[in-house]
Amino acid sequence: MKKFNPNKNIIITLIVVIIVVTIISLTASHRANDGKTNLGQSAVNDSVGFIDKVISFPAKAISNGISSISTLFNTYDENERLKERIDGYGELSIQNDNLKKENEALKKELALNETLGNYERVTATVVTRTPDMWQDLLIVDRGTKDGIEPNMAVLSQKGLIGRVIEVNASTSKVELLTSKNQNSNHFPVQINSENGDSYGLLKTYDDKENTLIVSQIVGDLDIKEGDVVQTSGLGQNSPANLPVGVVQKVKPDSYGLDREVYVKPYAEMYNMPVVTIIKRLAGAGE
């Protein structure tokens, strides 16, 4: 039996330690140079990474789904808010347009009133104009409490549009010059020409040409395009010198026995949100 030599064992141990340290140093140096791991470390790292992916995938999928749903709801809410704002802008635009139109109508009515300084008058707002009676009637927000009476002349914008035919406490019914009512109390008018004045009766309306027609002309004075037409006041149902329109053309009637004068009205017959009712001459008695 060999005798155990401790010095030999120490030397072997030192050699093993040196070899191990050398291998570790070389490995560390190799990883520092090219960033690559050895086969064992690579296998361990890949396994850990795969397990991490498997574990974290459902959590990430749920998190992404919740985030997408939240984004969808937020987008929907934002779209609804934008739609409400757009609808609001549309309503404001319509209101603005209506106010502009009303403002323009009031300006025209004010300009008309400035030319009627000799008359006592009342401004009224149109409250009703039904489609089935569009050419015949309208209702305004003035009545007996405002001193309105039947047969009072009614003007709008720049000229005559009709007369009051029915009065209530706070509203009145106005028959328009465009009415087809043959029994209506029509206006006597005068046509101012260079050679003098001609007189006739304003009694019909040509809706194709948008012109008033004066017939039963008295006299044979020459009437030309552009001559001014006003109320004559001869019938005692309306004041004189209210503006009606200008002559557009003159032609024989259907029987060839009389002349018909076509008058372009000063007033816009289909757009009258505000009207002026002539009560009487200023200073005249009740």
Side-chain angles (χ1 to χ4, degrees):
M1 183 176 179
K2 291 185 178 181
K3 186 179 179 180
F4 177 74
N5 190 351
N7 293 330
K8 184 177 180 180
N9 291 335
I10 292 173
I11 293 172
I12 294 172
T13 301
L14 289 175
I15 292 172
V16 170
V17 169
I18 291 170
I19 293 172
V20 169
V21 170
T22 302
I23 293 172
I24 292 173
S25 298
L26 291 174
T27 301
S29 176
H30 184 68
R31 290 181 62 187
N33 289 333
D34 56 14
K36 295 181 180 179
T37 60
N38 57 38
L39 183 60
Q41 285 180 321
S42 178
V44 171
N45 290 340
D46 290 343
S47 299
V48 172
F50 175 76
I51 294 171
D52 181 65
K53 287 181 180 180
V54 171
I55 294 174
S56 64
F57 177 77
K60 289 182 179 180
I62 294 172
S63 177
N64 291 336
I66 293 173
S67 177
S68 298
I69 293 172
S70 177
T71 301
L72 178 63
F73 278 112
N74 290 336
T75 302
Y76 176 81
D77 291 339
E78 184 177 2
N79 286 344
E80 289 300 311
R81 289 194 298 270
L82 289 174
K83 287 179 181 178
E84 290 177 358
R85 292 179 65 182
I86 290 173
D87 291 341
Y89 288 144
E91 292 176 1
L92 288 175
S93 177
I94 293 173
Q95 292 177 4
N96 187 45
D97 289 341
N98 290 337
L99 288 174
K100 285 182 178 179
K101 291 177 182 178
E102 183 178 357
N103 188 39
E104 289 300 317
L106 290 172
K107 285 181 179 179
K108 292 178 180 179
E109 209 65 25
L110 178 61
L112 171 65
N113 276 262
E114 289 176 349
T115 67
L116 300 172
N118 294 329
Y119 299 96
E120 187 178 344
R121 58 202 180 275
V122 175
T123 300
T125 300
V126 176
V127 294
T128 303
R129 191 174 183 182
T130 57
D132 57 334
M133 300 291 287
W134 188 261
Q135 288 187 307
D136 296 332
L137 303 171
L138 56 81
I139 296 177
V140 298
D141 63 350
R142 300 290 185 177
T144 55
K145 66 182 181 61
D146 305 293
I148 307 303
E149 299 175 0
N151 288 324
M152 286 182 172
V154 182
L155 293 85
S156 179
Q157 300 166 2
K158 295 181 180 181
L160 187 71
I161 62 166
R163 71 167 76 249
V164 176
I165 61 170
E166 183 182 308
V167 184
N168 301 301
S170 57
T171 61
S172 296
K173 185 179 293 184
V174 177
E175 185 175 59
L176 301 173
L177 298 178
T178 55
S179 173
K180 300 298 183 182
N181 181 11
Q182 296 299 316
N183 298 320
S184 177
N185 189 4
H186 298 293
F187 283 89
V189 296
Q190 65 183 32
I191 303 169
N192 304 322
S193 303
E194 292 181 356
N195 299 323
D197 298 336
S198 300
Y199 296 90
L201 190 63
L202 185 63
K203 55 187 302 185
T204 56
Y205 180 77
D206 188 330
D207 52 8
K208 293 181 179 180
E209 297 191 24
N210 295 324
T211 55
L212 302 165
I213 301 176
V214 179
S215 58
Q216 301 181 23
I217 307 297
V218 176
D220 56 359
L221 293 175
D222 189 23
I223 299 173
K224 297 179 180 180
E225 180 182 352
D227 287 348
V228 175
V229 181
Q230 299 175 313
T231 59
S232 66
L234 295 177
Q236 297 183 347
N237 285 329
S238 63
N241 303 323
L242 296 178
V244 176
V246 295
V247 174
Q248 184 167 299
K249 65 180 179 180
V250 181
K251 72 175 190 177
D253 65 8
S254 57
Y255 300 102
L257 302 175
D258 195 7
R259 292 178 294 174
E260 288 184 335
V261 178
Y262 287 73
V263 178
K264 180 177 178 59
Y266 287 130
E268 170 55 61
M269 292 296 176
Y270 298 104
N271 181 23
M272 49 187 85
V274 183
V275 301
T276 296
I277 302 172
I278 303 299
K279 296 175 67 176
R280 61 186 62 84
L281 283 170
E286 296 291 338

